[in-house]
mmCIF file of all heavy atoms in Angstrom:
data_model
loop_
_atom_site.group_PDB
_atom_site.id
_atom_site.type_symbol
_atom_site.label_atom_id
_atom_site.label_comp_id
_atom_site.label_asym_id
_atom_site.label_seq_id
_atom_site.Cartn_x
_atom_site.Cartn_y
_atom_site.Cartn_z
ATOM 1 N N PHE A 24 -138.945 26.639 19.287
ATOM 2 C CA PHE A 24 -139.924 27.465 18.604
ATOM 3 C C PHE A 24 -139.220 28.255 17.519
ATOM 4 O O PHE A 24 -137.994 28.396 17.528
ATOM 5 C CB PHE A 24 -140.596 28.439 19.577
ATOM 6 C CG PHE A 24 -141.511 27.799 20.575
ATOM 7 C CD1 PHE A 24 -141.010 27.171 21.705
ATOM 8 C CD2 PHE A 24 -142.883 27.841 20.392
ATOM 9 C CE1 PHE A 24 -141.849 26.588 22.627
ATOM 10 C CE2 PHE A 24 -143.739 27.258 21.318
ATOM 11 C CZ PHE A 24 -143.220 26.633 22.431
ATOM 12 N N ARG A 25 -139.994 28.787 16.594
ATOM 13 C CA ARG A 25 -139.421 29.684 15.596
ATOM 14 C C ARG A 25 -140.417 30.786 15.270
ATOM 15 O O ARG A 25 -141.623 30.613 15.385
ATOM 16 C CB ARG A 25 -139.011 28.939 14.326
ATOM 17 C CG ARG A 25 -140.160 28.352 13.520
ATOM 18 C CD ARG A 25 -139.614 27.545 12.351
ATOM 19 N NE ARG A 25 -140.669 26.998 11.521
ATOM 20 C CZ ARG A 25 -140.472 26.143 10.523
ATOM 21 N NH1 ARG A 25 -139.233 25.738 10.223
ATOM 22 N NH2 ARG A 25 -141.500 25.697 9.819
ATOM 23 N N GLN A 26 -139.882 31.921 14.861
ATOM 24 C CA GLN A 26 -140.716 33.046 14.492
ATOM 25 C C GLN A 26 -140.083 33.774 13.315
ATOM 26 O O GLN A 26 -138.964 34.270 13.414
ATOM 27 C CB GLN A 26 -140.903 34.002 15.667
ATOM 28 C CG GLN A 26 -141.894 35.113 15.394
ATOM 29 C CD GLN A 26 -142.270 35.875 16.650
ATOM 30 O OE1 GLN A 26 -141.528 35.884 17.628
ATOM 31 N NE2 GLN A 26 -143.431 36.503 16.632
ATOM 32 N N ALA A 27 -140.810 33.831 12.221
ATOM 33 C CA ALA A 27 -140.389 34.562 11.039
ATOM 34 C C ALA A 27 -141.009 35.955 11.074
ATOM 35 O O ALA A 27 -142.037 36.168 11.720
ATOM 36 C CB ALA A 27 -140.808 33.819 9.773
ATOM 37 N N PRO A 28 -140.408 36.921 10.381
ATOM 38 C CA PRO A 28 -140.968 38.271 10.368
ATOM 39 C C PRO A 28 -142.426 38.280 9.923
ATOM 40 O O PRO A 28 -142.784 37.675 8.911
ATOM 41 C CB PRO A 28 -140.078 39.004 9.362
ATOM 42 C CG PRO A 28 -138.778 38.280 9.419
ATOM 43 C CD PRO A 28 -139.153 36.838 9.621
ATOM 44 N N GLY A 29 -143.274 38.951 10.695
ATOM 45 C CA GLY A 29 -144.677 39.046 10.370
ATOM 46 C C GLY A 29 -145.495 37.816 10.698
ATOM 47 O O GLY A 29 -146.699 37.785 10.413
ATOM 48 N N LYS A 30 -144.879 36.802 11.283
ATOM 49 C CA LYS A 30 -145.571 35.564 11.615
ATOM 50 C C LYS A 30 -145.618 35.359 13.122
ATOM 51 O O LYS A 30 -144.806 35.901 13.867
ATOM 52 C CB LYS A 30 -144.879 34.366 10.963
ATOM 53 C CG LYS A 30 -144.799 34.425 9.452
ATOM 54 C CD LYS A 30 -146.166 34.283 8.823
ATOM 55 C CE LYS A 30 -146.062 34.217 7.311
ATOM 56 N NZ LYS A 30 -147.394 34.067 6.679
ATOM 57 N N LYS A 31 -146.580 34.556 13.561
ATOM 58 C CA LYS A 31 -146.671 34.194 14.966
ATOM 59 C C LYS A 31 -145.589 33.180 15.319
ATOM 60 O O LYS A 31 -145.140 32.415 14.477
ATOM 61 C CB LYS A 31 -148.044 33.610 15.284
ATOM 62 C CG LYS A 31 -149.202 34.576 15.136
ATOM 63 C CD LYS A 31 -150.510 33.895 15.488
ATOM 64 C CE LYS A 31 -151.675 34.854 15.371
ATOM 65 N NZ LYS A 31 -152.965 34.180 15.691
ATOM 66 N N ARG A 32 -145.201 33.191 16.577
ATOM 67 C CA ARG A 32 -144.264 32.188 17.050
ATOM 68 C C ARG A 32 -144.936 30.815 17.014
ATOM 69 O O ARG A 32 -146.074 30.658 17.462
ATOM 70 C CB ARG A 32 -143.799 32.518 18.464
ATOM 71 C CG ARG A 32 -142.729 31.593 19.002
ATOM 72 C CD ARG A 32 -142.177 32.104 20.329
ATOM 73 N NE ARG A 32 -141.514 33.393 20.176
ATOM 74 C CZ ARG A 32 -140.901 34.029 21.168
ATOM 75 N NH1 ARG A 32 -140.862 33.496 22.380
ATOM 76 N NH2 ARG A 32 -140.331 35.199 20.944
ATOM 77 N N GLU A 33 -144.242 29.825 16.468
ATOM 78 C CA GLU A 33 -144.809 28.498 16.348
ATOM 79 C C GLU A 33 -143.882 27.449 16.948
ATOM 80 O O GLU A 33 -142.658 27.582 16.904
ATOM 81 C CB GLU A 33 -145.093 28.162 14.882
ATOM 82 C CG GLU A 33 -143.856 28.137 13.999
ATOM 83 C CD GLU A 33 -144.151 27.749 12.566
ATOM 84 O OE1 GLU A 33 -145.316 27.438 12.252
ATOM 85 O OE2 GLU A 33 -143.207 27.754 11.746
ATOM 86 N N GLY A 34 -144.475 26.423 17.491
ATOM 87 C CA GLY A 34 -143.710 25.318 18.029
ATOM 88 C C GLY A 34 -143.167 24.447 16.915
ATOM 89 O O GLY A 34 -143.885 24.104 15.977
ATOM 90 N N VAL A 35 -141.903 24.070 17.015
ATOM 91 C CA VAL A 35 -141.248 23.218 16.031
ATOM 92 C C VAL A 35 -141.156 21.780 16.529
ATOM 93 O O VAL A 35 -141.475 20.834 15.799
ATOM 94 C CB VAL A 35 -139.851 23.751 15.683
ATOM 95 C CG1 VAL A 35 -139.132 22.803 14.730
ATOM 96 C CG2 VAL A 35 -139.949 25.146 15.090
ATOM 97 N N ALA A 36 -140.714 21.609 17.764
ATOM 98 C CA ALA A 36 -140.559 20.281 18.345
ATOM 99 C C ALA A 36 -140.481 20.404 19.855
ATOM 100 O O ALA A 36 -140.059 21.430 20.377
ATOM 101 C CB ALA A 36 -139.309 19.585 17.803
ATOM 102 N N VAL A 37 -140.889 19.351 20.554
ATOM 103 C CA VAL A 37 -140.823 19.327 22.010
ATOM 104 C C VAL A 37 -140.279 17.977 22.463
ATOM 105 O O VAL A 37 -140.549 16.944 21.838
ATOM 106 C CB VAL A 37 -142.209 19.619 22.647
ATOM 107 C CG1 VAL A 37 -143.231 18.556 22.250
ATOM 108 C CG2 VAL A 37 -142.102 19.740 24.156
ATOM 109 N N ASN A 38 -139.502 18.000 23.516
ATOM 110 C CA ASN A 38 -138.920 16.808 24.125
ATOM 111 C C ASN A 38 -139.207 16.856 25.623
ATOM 112 O O ASN A 38 -139.080 17.899 26.247
ATOM 113 C CB ASN A 38 -137.413 16.766 23.846
ATOM 114 C CG ASN A 38 -136.691 15.690 24.631
ATOM 115 O OD1 ASN A 38 -136.284 15.912 25.768
ATOM 116 N ND2 ASN A 38 -136.514 14.534 24.010
ATOM 117 N N ARG A 39 -139.591 15.713 26.213
ATOM 118 C CA ARG A 39 -139.982 15.662 27.614
ATOM 119 C C ARG A 39 -139.247 14.566 28.368
ATOM 120 O O ARG A 39 -138.716 13.633 27.763
ATOM 121 C CB ARG A 39 -141.499 15.446 27.736
ATOM 122 C CG ARG A 39 -142.335 16.372 26.868
ATOM 123 C CD ARG A 39 -143.816 16.083 27.000
ATOM 124 N NE ARG A 39 -144.595 16.820 26.008
ATOM 125 C CZ ARG A 39 -144.916 16.364 24.808
ATOM 126 N NH1 ARG A 39 -144.540 15.141 24.432
ATOM 127 N NH2 ARG A 39 -145.619 17.111 23.970
ATOM 128 N N ASP A 40 -139.251 14.695 29.692
ATOM 129 C CA ASP A 40 -138.557 13.734 30.542
ATOM 130 C C ASP A 40 -139.149 12.330 30.456
ATOM 131 O O ASP A 40 -138.455 11.359 30.784
ATOM 132 C CB ASP A 40 -138.563 14.199 31.997
ATOM 133 C CG ASP A 40 -137.494 15.237 32.291
ATOM 134 O OD1 ASP A 40 -136.721 15.583 31.376
ATOM 135 O OD2 ASP A 40 -137.429 15.697 33.444
ATOM 136 N N ASP A 41 -140.415 12.202 30.059
ATOM 137 C CA ASP A 41 -141.010 10.878 29.913
ATOM 138 C C ASP A 41 -140.569 10.197 28.617
ATOM 139 O O ASP A 41 -141.021 9.095 28.309
ATOM 140 C CB ASP A 41 -142.532 10.931 29.996
ATOM 141 C CG ASP A 41 -143.181 11.751 28.885
ATOM 142 O OD1 ASP A 41 -142.474 12.205 27.969
ATOM 143 O OD2 ASP A 41 -144.415 11.936 28.948
ATOM 144 N N GLY A 42 -139.694 10.850 27.854
ATOM 145 C CA GLY A 42 -139.176 10.293 26.624
ATOM 146 C C GLY A 42 -139.977 10.627 25.390
ATOM 147 O O GLY A 42 -139.579 10.260 24.275
ATOM 148 N N SER A 43 -141.091 11.299 25.554
ATOM 149 C CA SER A 43 -141.939 11.606 24.418
ATOM 150 C C SER A 43 -141.404 12.803 23.638
ATOM 151 O O SER A 43 -140.776 13.702 24.197
ATOM 152 C CB SER A 43 -143.377 11.870 24.863
ATOM 153 O OG SER A 43 -143.450 13.005 25.708
ATOM 154 N N THR A 44 -141.661 12.804 22.345
ATOM 155 C CA THR A 44 -141.323 13.909 21.470
ATOM 156 C C THR A 44 -142.475 14.150 20.512
ATOM 157 O O THR A 44 -143.248 13.239 20.198
ATOM 158 C CB THR A 44 -140.041 13.640 20.659
ATOM 159 O OG1 THR A 44 -140.226 12.475 19.847
ATOM 160 C CG2 THR A 44 -138.853 13.415 21.577
ATOM 161 N N ASN A 45 -142.593 15.375 20.047
ATOM 162 C CA ASN A 45 -143.578 15.726 19.043
ATOM 163 C C ASN A 45 -142.974 16.747 18.098
ATOM 164 O O ASN A 45 -142.133 17.552 18.490
ATOM 165 C CB ASN A 45 -144.849 16.300 19.670
ATOM 166 C CG ASN A 45 -145.605 15.300 20.492
ATOM 167 O OD1 ASN A 45 -145.575 15.337 21.721
ATOM 168 N ND2 ASN A 45 -146.299 14.382 19.820
ATOM 169 N N TYR A 46 -143.434 16.708 16.858
ATOM 170 C CA TYR A 46 -142.960 17.613 15.829
ATOM 171 C C TYR A 46 -144.130 18.265 15.118
ATOM 172 O O TYR A 46 -145.187 17.647 14.965
ATOM 173 C CB TYR A 46 -142.112 16.869 14.795
ATOM 174 C CG TYR A 46 -140.877 16.217 15.355
ATOM 175 C CD1 TYR A 46 -140.902 14.907 15.802
ATOM 176 C CD2 TYR A 46 -139.678 16.920 15.438
ATOM 177 C CE1 TYR A 46 -139.775 14.307 16.320
ATOM 178 C CE2 TYR A 46 -138.541 16.325 15.955
ATOM 179 C CZ TYR A 46 -138.592 15.023 16.391
ATOM 180 O OH TYR A 46 -137.465 14.433 16.903
ATOM 181 N N ALA A 47 -143.924 19.494 14.679
ATOM 182 C CA ALA A 47 -144.902 20.119 13.809
ATOM 183 C C ALA A 47 -144.981 19.321 12.514
ATOM 184 O O ALA A 47 -143.962 18.827 12.019
ATOM 185 C CB ALA A 47 -144.519 21.567 13.528
ATOM 186 N N ASP A 48 -146.186 19.205 11.957
ATOM 187 C CA ASP A 48 -146.393 18.352 10.788
ATOM 188 C C ASP A 48 -145.421 18.618 9.635
ATOM 189 O O ASP A 48 -144.882 17.667 9.062
ATOM 190 C CB ASP A 48 -147.840 18.471 10.300
ATOM 191 C CG ASP A 48 -148.821 17.788 11.228
ATOM 192 O OD1 ASP A 48 -148.401 16.951 12.045
ATOM 193 O OD2 ASP A 48 -150.024 18.096 11.119
ATOM 194 N N PRO A 49 -145.199 19.899 9.263
ATOM 195 C CA PRO A 49 -144.294 20.123 8.129
ATOM 196 C C PRO A 49 -142.858 19.703 8.390
ATOM 197 O O PRO A 49 -142.115 19.462 7.432
ATOM 198 C CB PRO A 49 -144.373 21.644 7.915
ATOM 199 C CG PRO A 49 -145.666 22.051 8.537
ATOM 200 C CD PRO A 49 -145.826 21.142 9.716
ATOM 201 N N GLU A 50 -142.464 19.612 9.644
ATOM 202 C CA GLU A 50 -141.077 19.291 9.986
ATOM 203 C C GLU A 50 -140.843 17.808 10.239
ATOM 204 O O GLU A 50 -139.690 17.368 10.353
ATOM 205 C CB GLU A 50 -140.642 20.092 11.215
ATOM 206 C CG GLU A 50 -140.355 21.555 10.928
ATOM 207 C CD GLU A 50 -141.610 22.326 10.564
ATOM 208 O OE1 GLU A 50 -142.554 22.342 11.380
ATOM 209 O OE2 GLU A 50 -141.648 22.908 9.452
ATOM 210 N N THR A 51 -141.922 17.038 10.351
ATOM 211 C CA THR A 51 -141.778 15.611 10.603
ATOM 212 C C THR A 51 -140.943 14.958 9.510
ATOM 213 O O THR A 51 -141.209 15.118 8.328
ATOM 214 C CB THR A 51 -143.153 14.933 10.678
ATOM 215 O OG1 THR A 51 -143.909 15.517 11.738
ATOM 216 C CG2 THR A 51 -143.005 13.444 10.938
ATOM 217 N N GLY A 52 -139.904 14.237 9.924
ATOM 218 C CA GLY A 52 -139.030 13.560 8.981
ATOM 219 C C GLY A 52 -137.800 14.359 8.604
ATOM 220 O O GLY A 52 -136.841 13.785 8.091
ATOM 221 N N ARG A 53 -137.825 15.669 8.829
ATOM 222 C CA ARG A 53 -136.676 16.508 8.513
ATOM 223 C C ARG A 53 -135.924 16.962 9.760
ATOM 224 O O ARG A 53 -134.709 17.141 9.710
ATOM 225 C CB ARG A 53 -137.101 17.751 7.726
ATOM 226 C CG ARG A 53 -137.720 17.458 6.377
ATOM 227 C CD ARG A 53 -137.824 18.730 5.538
ATOM 228 N NE ARG A 53 -138.669 19.742 6.178
ATOM 229 C CZ ARG A 53 -138.258 20.980 6.472
ATOM 230 N NH1 ARG A 53 -137.022 21.362 6.199
ATOM 231 N NH2 ARG A 53 -139.099 21.839 7.043
ATOM 232 N N PHE A 54 -136.643 17.168 10.850
ATOM 233 C CA PHE A 54 -136.045 17.677 12.081
ATOM 234 C C PHE A 54 -136.038 16.591 13.147
ATOM 235 O O PHE A 54 -136.961 15.772 13.222
ATOM 236 C CB PHE A 54 -136.828 18.880 12.616
ATOM 237 C CG PHE A 54 -136.745 20.124 11.774
ATOM 238 C CD1 PHE A 54 -136.074 20.142 10.562
ATOM 239 C CD2 PHE A 54 -137.350 21.292 12.208
ATOM 240 C CE1 PHE A 54 -136.000 21.291 9.791
ATOM 241 C CE2 PHE A 54 -137.290 22.450 11.454
ATOM 242 C CZ PHE A 54 -136.612 22.452 10.241
ATOM 243 N N THR A 55 -135.014 16.607 13.992
ATOM 244 C CA THR A 55 -134.918 15.682 15.107
ATOM 245 C C THR A 55 -134.530 16.445 16.361
ATOM 246 O O THR A 55 -133.511 17.135 16.384
ATOM 247 C CB THR A 55 -133.884 14.573 14.843
ATOM 248 O OG1 THR A 55 -134.230 13.855 13.661
ATOM 249 C CG2 THR A 55 -133.841 13.602 16.021
ATOM 250 N N ILE A 56 -135.344 16.324 17.408
ATOM 251 C CA ILE A 56 -135.034 16.945 18.686
ATOM 252 C C ILE A 56 -134.451 15.887 19.614
ATOM 253 O O ILE A 56 -134.905 14.741 19.630
ATOM 254 C CB ILE A 56 -136.279 17.615 19.310
ATOM 255 C CG1 ILE A 56 -135.890 18.449 20.535
ATOM 256 C CG2 ILE A 56 -137.341 16.582 19.659
ATOM 257 C CD1 ILE A 56 -137.028 19.323 21.062
ATOM 258 N N SER A 57 -133.436 16.254 20.377
ATOM 259 C CA SER A 57 -132.818 15.336 21.316
ATOM 260 C C SER A 57 -132.237 16.122 22.478
ATOM 261 O O SER A 57 -132.052 17.330 22.392
ATOM 262 C CB SER A 57 -131.733 14.489 20.638
ATOM 263 O OG SER A 57 -130.693 15.305 20.128
ATOM 264 N N ARG A 58 -131.969 15.411 23.569
ATOM 265 C CA ARG A 58 -131.408 16.054 24.751
ATOM 266 C C ARG A 58 -130.274 15.212 25.306
ATOM 267 O O ARG A 58 -130.397 13.991 25.437
ATOM 268 C CB ARG A 58 -132.491 16.254 25.817
ATOM 269 C CG ARG A 58 -132.100 17.219 26.924
ATOM 270 C CD ARG A 58 -133.009 17.114 28.131
ATOM 271 N NE ARG A 58 -134.420 17.291 27.801
ATOM 272 C CZ ARG A 58 -135.383 17.341 28.722
ATOM 273 N NH1 ARG A 58 -135.076 17.215 30.018
ATOM 274 N NH2 ARG A 58 -136.644 17.489 28.354
ATOM 275 N N ASP A 59 -129.168 15.859 25.631
ATOM 276 C CA ASP A 59 -128.036 15.229 26.295
ATOM 277 C C ASP A 59 -128.044 15.727 27.732
ATOM 278 O O ASP A 59 -127.597 16.839 28.012
ATOM 279 C CB ASP A 59 -126.727 15.579 25.597
ATOM 280 C CG ASP A 59 -125.532 14.850 26.178
ATOM 281 O OD1 ASP A 59 -125.595 14.404 27.341
ATOM 282 O OD2 ASP A 59 -124.516 14.723 25.465
ATOM 283 N N ASN A 60 -128.563 14.914 28.645
ATOM 284 C CA ASN A 60 -128.705 15.346 30.030
ATOM 285 C C ASN A 60 -127.357 15.557 30.717
ATOM 286 O O ASN A 60 -127.241 16.409 31.603
ATOM 287 C CB ASN A 60 -129.541 14.344 30.812
ATOM 288 C CG ASN A 60 -131.003 14.386 30.450
ATOM 289 O OD1 ASN A 60 -131.551 15.455 30.182
ATOM 290 N ND2 ASN A 60 -131.647 13.229 30.445
ATOM 291 N N ALA A 61 -126.338 14.800 30.325
ATOM 292 C CA ALA A 61 -125.016 14.965 30.916
ATOM 293 C C ALA A 61 -124.446 16.344 30.623
ATOM 294 O O ALA A 61 -123.689 16.901 31.421
ATOM 295 C CB ALA A 61 -124.068 13.882 30.420
ATOM 296 N N LYS A 62 -124.800 16.898 29.475
ATOM 297 C CA LYS A 62 -124.323 18.218 29.080
ATOM 298 C C LYS A 62 -125.373 19.300 29.276
ATOM 299 O O LYS A 62 -125.111 20.468 28.961
ATOM 300 C CB LYS A 62 -123.879 18.200 27.615
ATOM 301 C CG LYS A 62 -122.673 17.318 27.333
ATOM 302 C CD LYS A 62 -122.289 17.411 25.866
ATOM 303 C CE LYS A 62 -120.975 16.707 25.577
ATOM 304 N NZ LYS A 62 -121.046 15.258 25.810
ATOM 305 N N ASN A 63 -126.546 18.928 29.777
ATOM 306 C CA ASN A 63 -127.654 19.867 29.945
ATOM 307 C C ASN A 63 -127.919 20.628 28.650
ATOM 308 O O ASN A 63 -128.125 21.842 28.661
ATOM 309 C CB ASN A 63 -127.386 20.843 31.086
ATOM 310 C CG ASN A 63 -127.291 20.165 32.427
ATOM 311 O OD1 ASN A 63 -126.317 20.328 33.158
ATOM 312 N ND2 ASN A 63 -128.314 19.394 32.774
ATOM 313 N N THR A 64 -127.926 19.896 27.549
ATOM 314 C CA THR A 64 -128.026 20.522 26.239
ATOM 315 C C THR A 64 -129.145 19.899 25.415
ATOM 316 O O THR A 64 -129.266 18.674 25.338
ATOM 317 C CB THR A 64 -126.702 20.411 25.472
ATOM 318 O OG1 THR A 64 -125.659 21.027 26.237
ATOM 319 C CG2 THR A 64 -126.800 21.103 24.124
ATOM 320 N N LEU A 65 -129.948 20.748 24.809
ATOM 321 C CA LEU A 65 -130.987 20.354 23.877
ATOM 322 C C LEU A 65 -130.498 20.624 22.458
ATOM 323 O O LEU A 65 -129.861 21.644 22.205
ATOM 324 C CB LEU A 65 -132.267 21.145 24.138
ATOM 325 C CG LEU A 65 -133.479 20.807 23.263
ATOM 326 C CD1 LEU A 65 -134.109 19.499 23.720
ATOM 327 C CD2 LEU A 65 -134.495 21.942 23.298
ATOM 328 N N TYR A 66 -130.809 19.718 21.545
ATOM 329 C CA TYR A 66 -130.389 19.860 20.158
ATOM 330 C C TYR A 66 -131.586 19.834 19.223
ATOM 331 O O TYR A 66 -132.615 19.235 19.517
ATOM 332 C CB TYR A 66 -129.445 18.722 19.746
ATOM 333 C CG TYR A 66 -128.183 18.638 20.557
ATOM 334 C CD1 TYR A 66 -128.066 17.734 21.597
ATOM 335 C CD2 TYR A 66 -127.097 19.458 20.275
ATOM 336 C CE1 TYR A 66 -126.902 17.644 22.341
ATOM 337 C CE2 TYR A 66 -125.933 19.377 21.009
ATOM 338 C CZ TYR A 66 -125.837 18.469 22.039
ATOM 339 O OH TYR A 66 -124.683 18.386 22.774
ATOM 340 N N LEU A 67 -131.432 20.480 18.093
ATOM 341 C CA LEU A 67 -132.371 20.345 16.995
ATOM 342 C C LEU A 67 -131.562 20.120 15.726
ATOM 343 O O LEU A 67 -130.907 21.044 15.238
ATOM 344 C CB LEU A 67 -133.265 21.580 16.848
ATOM 345 C CG LEU A 67 -134.334 21.474 15.756
ATOM 346 C CD1 LEU A 67 -135.381 20.422 16.138
ATOM 347 C CD2 LEU A 67 -134.999 22.823 15.498
ATOM 348 N N GLN A 68 -131.584 18.895 15.231
ATOM 349 C CA GLN A 68 -130.937 18.572 13.973
ATOM 350 C C GLN A 68 -131.919 18.859 12.851
ATOM 351 O O GLN A 68 -133.009 18.298 12.823
ATOM 352 C CB GLN A 68 -130.514 17.102 13.936
ATOM 353 C CG GLN A 68 -129.852 16.671 12.637
ATOM 354 C CD GLN A 68 -128.516 17.327 12.413
ATOM 355 O OE1 GLN A 68 -127.684 17.374 13.317
ATOM 356 N NE2 GLN A 68 -128.301 17.851 11.212
ATOM 357 N N MET A 69 -131.541 19.732 11.943
ATOM 358 C CA MET A 69 -132.402 20.145 10.850
ATOM 359 C C MET A 69 -131.766 19.742 9.532
ATOM 360 O O MET A 69 -130.666 20.192 9.208
ATOM 361 C CB MET A 69 -132.653 21.655 10.884
ATOM 362 C CG MET A 69 -133.231 22.154 12.198
ATOM 363 S SD MET A 69 -133.659 23.912 12.145
ATOM 364 C CE MET A 69 -132.022 24.631 12.014
ATOM 365 N N ASN A 70 -132.448 18.898 8.786
ATOM 366 C CA ASN A 70 -131.975 18.426 7.494
ATOM 367 C C ASN A 70 -132.930 18.873 6.393
ATOM 368 O O ASN A 70 -134.072 19.235 6.654
ATOM 369 C CB ASN A 70 -131.852 16.899 7.484
ATOM 370 C CG ASN A 70 -130.875 16.377 8.501
ATOM 371 O OD1 ASN A 70 -129.831 16.987 8.753
ATOM 372 N ND2 ASN A 70 -131.189 15.228 9.090
#
């Protein structure tokens, strides 16, 4: 999620155990969400 000053908190991307992912429309194509289960780490690559 992200929150800018004076703005509501908004969802950026979600990743689930069923393998599904979703992105907010403006971020589609620029952001990539992924999870490394071995490291228990979630990533957000932002280009």
Side-chain angles (χ1 to χ4, degrees):
F24 290 79
R25 67 185 182 187
Q26 187 169 23
K30 301 292 185 180
K31 295 181 179 179
R32 185 172 297 183
E33 62 178 357
V35 176
V37 62
N38 170 273
R39 311 178 189 91
D40 279 359
D41 63 6
S43 63
T44 60
N45 294 104
Y46 299 91
D48 288 342
E50 285 68 58
T51 300
R53 297 193 299 123
F54 292 4
T55 302
I56 189 170
S57 61
R58 195 195 305 185
D59 185 338
N60 288 324
K62 295 182 172 64
N63 296 126
T64 302
L65 182 76
Y66 300 99
L67 183 68
Q68 179 67 47
M69 304 185 292
N70 299 323

